Amino acid sequence: MKELVVISGKGGTGKTSLTAAFASLAKGMVLCDADVDAADLHLLMAPEIIERHDFQGGHKAIINPEKCLRCGLCRDLCRWSAIDEDFIVSHLDCEGCGVCVYFCPEEAIDFPLSTCGEWFISRTRFGPMVHARLGIAEENSGRLVTVVRQQAAKLAEEQKLDLILTDGPPGIGCPVIASIGTASAVLIVVEPTLSGKHDMMRVAELAGQFRIPAMVCVNKSDLNPDETGAIEDLARGKGIEVLPGVPFDPVFTKAMVQGQTLLEYDPRSEAALRVSRIWERIAERLQINQA
């Protein structure tokens, strides 16, 4: 089983649009949306949810008014000021550190696991999909990413599918680390700007720490040919395989408005033809049978 994770050094580079386009070209795969903080692959995949599960991560303090003597110790100790004058804990402010629970002389504070999101197994027109939704202002996105990837691998094994196609989160933080571990390869999507070059190197270095083969694709490559060339030269110098760039094309936006992938909306467009070439290179690199 192979897994390709599409990542970027920052948000908004077009990685989800490319992932969706790859989904319309790939054969025998499980789709996985690991960008749980800002999941949007479902907007193009229109998934039909067949399983829904709560995700629990971290704890939140709850004061039992029947046991509480209002001594004020918990309020004095809470560095987050999460407990108001009525001794009610704000779940938005509580960081789940447990100090109030530990020091409460009356043991009046409960500390249950917090339900902070959901994960789903769905059916799409391209195959099964595992995705998730993290609650507003909730944390533990790295753990939720791990759950989503584990379920995608389990589903691929059960259905005897050879490929997991993962839309990863942007940046280099905990969710990205959770999304690329054990991956067969990563595709770094970058825009042709000076900051884009810097972002690419940060995420490429992260992949290198895990010894995961990396490929680079410059999106909107024709908007700044000089910077595109500089990015590709830098990538080659670091031993990163450079795939064909994708030209700027309004067809991406038109396809999104229709809830379609690029290949569904206009398979003969220059951008669609370029994406098809990119996928052929990826399939060859990962030795994926796409016949």
Side-chain angles (χ1 to χ4, degrees):
M1 185 193 310
K2 303 294 178 65
E3 181 182 10
L4 174 71
V5 183
V6 184
I7 56 178
S8 59
K10 61 174 284 293
T13 61
K15 64 178 178 59
T16 299
S17 293
L18 284 177
T19 303
F22 294 155
S24 62
L25 293 167
K27 309 293 183 185
M29 53 115 206
V30 173
L31 267 171
C32 176
D33 190 351
D35 189 3
V36 299
D37 285 292
D40 56 5
L41 186 59
H42 63 280
L43 299 175
L44 295 176
M45 295 296 103
E48 175 190 350
I49 297 174
I50 56 179
E51 290 187 29
R52 183 190 302 264
H53 303 268
D54 286 338
F55 169 69
Q56 293 183 316
H59 297 260
K60 296 291 185 181
I62 300 175
I63 298 176
N64 185 337
E66 295 181 358
K67 294 182 177 181
C68 178
L69 298 181
R70 296 179 173 243
C71 67
L73 180 61
C74 58
R75 295 191 68 220
D76 293 338
L77 293 175
C78 182
R79 62 177 298 181
W80 314 109
S81 301
I83 305 172
D84 66 17
E85 294 179 355
D86 296 321
F87 292 90
I88 296 174
V89 180
S90 167
H91 276 211
L92 288 179
D93 294 324
C94 178
E95 291 290 323
C97 66
V99 169
C100 60
V101 179
Y102 185 83
F103 285 101
C104 178
E106 299 300 319
E107 298 183 356
I109 304 177
D110 297 324
F111 204 42
L113 268 172
S114 175
T115 298
C116 52
E118 296 178 290
W119 62 270
F120 315 95
I121 296 178
S122 298
R123 184 184 297 114
T124 77
R125 59 193 182 279
F126 301 118
M129 175 175 173
V130 183
H131 52 120
R133 177 173 56 208
L134 193 65
I136 297 172
E138 295 288 358
E139 298 182 0
N140 291 294
S141 55
R143 289 182 59 190
L144 183 52
V145 168
T146 299
V147 170
V148 168
R149 291 188 67 224
Q150 288 174 340
Q151 292 300 321
K154 180 181 177 181
L155 192 60
E157 184 176 353
E158 290 174 349
Q159 299 192 15
K160 302 186 185 311
L161 301 174
D162 297 328
L163 174 65
I164 301 173
L165 180 58
T166 300
D167 182 18
I172 59 171
C174 181
V176 184
I177 294 171
S179 74
I180 66 174
T182 73
S184 305
V186 297
L187 173 63
I188 304 170
V189 182
V190 56
E191 292 179 316
T193 63
L194 185 61
S195 61
K197 180 166 60 179
H198 177 262
D199 293 334
M200 177 199 71
M201 288 312 304
R202 293 170 70 221
V203 74
E205 289 171 3
L206 178 64
Q209 290 291 324
F210 288 90
R211 299 183 180 179
I212 298 172
M215 298 169 278
V216 165
C217 171
V218 182
N219 192 21
K220 306 173 186 174
S221 57
D222 54 338
L223 293 186
N224 191 340
D226 291 340
E227 202 59 56
T228 294
I231 289 171
E232 293 179 343
D233 289 343
L234 179 61
R236 290 190 186 96
K238 297 292 184 179
I240 302 171
E241 182 174 352
V242 176
L243 301 181
V246 180
F248 173 77
D249 194 333
V251 72
F252 273 105
T253 303
K254 294 176 181 178
M256 283 190 289
V257 170
Q258 297 301 320
Q260 295 180 322
T261 70
L262 174 67
L263 275 296
E264 290 177 301
Y265 183 79
D266 189 355
R268 296 184 179 181
S269 65
E270 175 61 28
L273 295 175
R274 191 69 61 87
V275 169
S276 296
R277 286 176 52 199
I278 293 170
W279 180 248
E280 289 174 2
R281 289 273 297 274
I282 292 173
E284 180 181 355
R285 170 72 178 270
L286 295 182
Q287 298 180 337
I288 303 169
N289 184 9
Q290 295 294 285

Coordinates of all heavy atoms in Angstrom, one line a residue, residues 1-5 32 149 152 162-166 179-186 286:
M1 N 0.8 -1.2 0.0 CA 0.0 0.0 0.0 C 0.9 1.3 0.0 O 1.8 1.3 0.7 CB -0.9 0.0 1.2 CG -1.9 1.1 1.3 SD -2.7 1.3 2.9 CE -3.2 -0.4 3.2
K2 N 0.5 2.2 -0.8 CA 1.3 3.5 -0.9 C 0.4 4.6 -0.4 O -0.8 4.6 -0.6 CB 1.7 3.7 -2.4 CG 2.6 2.6 -3.0 CD 3.9 2.5 -2.3 CE 4.7 1.3 -2.8 NZ 5.1 1.5 -4.2
E3 N 1.1 5.6 0.1 CA 0.3 6.8 0.5 C 1.1 8.1 0.0 O 2.2 8.3 0.3 CB 0.2 6.9 2.0 CG -0.6 8.2 2.5 CD -0.8 8.3 3.9 OE1 -0.1 7.6 4.7 OE2 -1.6 9.2 4.4
L4 N 0.4 8.9 -0.7 CA 0.9 10.2 -1.1 C 0.2 11.3 -0.3 O -1.1 11.3 -0.3 CB 0.6 10.5 -2.6 CG 1.0 11.9 -3.1 CD1 2.5 12.0 -3.2 CD2 0.3 12.1 -4.5
V5 N 1.0 12.1 0.3 CA 0.4 13.2 1.1 C 0.8 14.5 0.4 O 2.0 14.8 0.1 CB 1.0 13.2 2.6 CG1 0.3 14.4 3.4 CG2 0.8 11.9 3.2
C32 N -8.2 10.8 1.8 CA -8.1 11.1 3.2 C -7.9 12.6 3.3 O -7.0 13.1 2.7 CB -6.9 10.3 3.8 SG -6.5 10.8 5.5
R149 N -5.8 9.2 9.6 CA -4.9 8.4 8.8 C -4.9 6.9 9.1 O -4.9 6.0 8.2 CB -3.5 8.9 8.9 CG -3.3 10.3 8.3 CD -1.8 10.7 8.3 NE -1.0 9.8 7.4 CZ 0.2 9.3 7.7 NH1 0.7 9.6 8.9 NH2 0.8 8.6 6.9
A152 N -8.0 5.5 7.5 CA -7.8 5.4 6.1 C -7.0 4.2 5.7 O -7.3 3.4 4.8 CB -7.2 6.7 5.5
D162 N -4.8 -0.1 -3.1 CA -3.4 0.0 -3.1 C -2.9 1.4 -2.8 O -1.7 1.6 -2.7 CB -2.8 -0.4 -4.4 CG -3.1 -1.9 -4.7 OD1 -3.1 -2.7 -3.7 OD2 -3.2 -2.3 -5.9
L163 N -3.8 2.4 -2.7 CA -3.3 3.8 -2.6 C -4.2 4.6 -1.6 O -5.4 4.4 -1.6 CB -3.4 4.5 -4.0 CG -3.1 6.0 -4.0 CD1 -1.6 6.3 -3.6 CD2 -3.4 6.6 -5.4
I164 N -3.5 5.4 -0.8 CA -4.2 6.4 0.0 C -3.7 7.8 -0.5 O -2.5 8.0 -0.5 CB -3.8 6.2 1.5 CG1 -4.2 4.9 2.0 CG2 -4.5 7.3 2.4 CD1 -3.7 4.6 3.5
L165 N -4.7 8.6 -0.8 CA -4.4 9.9 -1.3 C -4.8 10.9 -0.3 O -6.0 11.1 0.0 CB -5.1 10.2 -2.7 CG -4.9 11.5 -3.3 CD1 -3.5 11.8 -3.6 CD2 -5.8 11.6 -4.6
T166 N -3.9 11.6 0.3 CA -4.1 12.4 1.5 C -3.9 13.9 1.2 O -2.8 14.3 0.8 CB -3.2 12.0 2.7 OG1 -3.5 10.6 3.0 CG2 -3.5 12.8 3.9
S179 N 0.7 14.0 9.8 CA 0.1 13.6 8.5 C 1.1 12.9 7.6 O 0.8 12.2 6.7 CB -0.5 14.8 7.8 OG 0.6 15.7 7.3
I180 N 2.4 13.2 7.8 CA 3.4 12.6 6.9 C 4.2 11.4 7.4 O 4.8 10.7 6.6 CB 4.4 13.7 6.5 CG1 5.3 14.1 7.7 CG2 3.7 14.9 5.9 CD1 6.4 15.1 7.3
G181 N 4.1 11.1 8.7 CA 4.8 9.9 9.2 C 4.3 8.7 8.5 O 3.1 8.5 8.3
T182 N 5.2 7.8 8.1 CA 5.0 6.6 7.4 C 4.5 6.8 5.9 O 4.2 5.8 5.3 CB 4.0 5.6 8.1 OG1 2.7 6.1 8.0 CG2 4.4 5.5 9.6
A183 N 4.4 8.0 5.5 CA 3.9 8.2 4.1 C 5.0 7.7 3.1 O 6.2 7.6 3.4 CB 3.7 9.7 3.8
S184 N 4.5 7.3 1.9 CA 5.4 6.8 0.9 C 6.2 7.9 0.2 O 7.3 7.8 -0.2 CB 4.6 6.0 -0.2 OG 3.9 4.9 0.4
A185 N 5.5 9.1 0.1 CA 6.1 10.3 -0.5 C 5.2 11.5 -0.2 O 4.0 11.3 0.1 CB 6.2 10.1 -2.0
V186 N 5.8 12.7 -0.3 CA 5.0 13.9 -0.1 C 5.1 14.7 -1.4 O 6.2 14.7 -2.0 CB 5.4 14.7 1.1 CG1 5.1 14.0 2.4 CG2 6.8 15.2 1.0
L286 N 5.8 6.3 -7.6 CA 5.4 5.5 -6.5 C 5.1 4.0 -6.9 O 4.8 3.2 -6.1 CB 4.1 6.0 -5.8 CG 4.2 7.4 -5.2 CD1 2.9 7.8 -4.6 CD2 5.3 7.3 -4.1

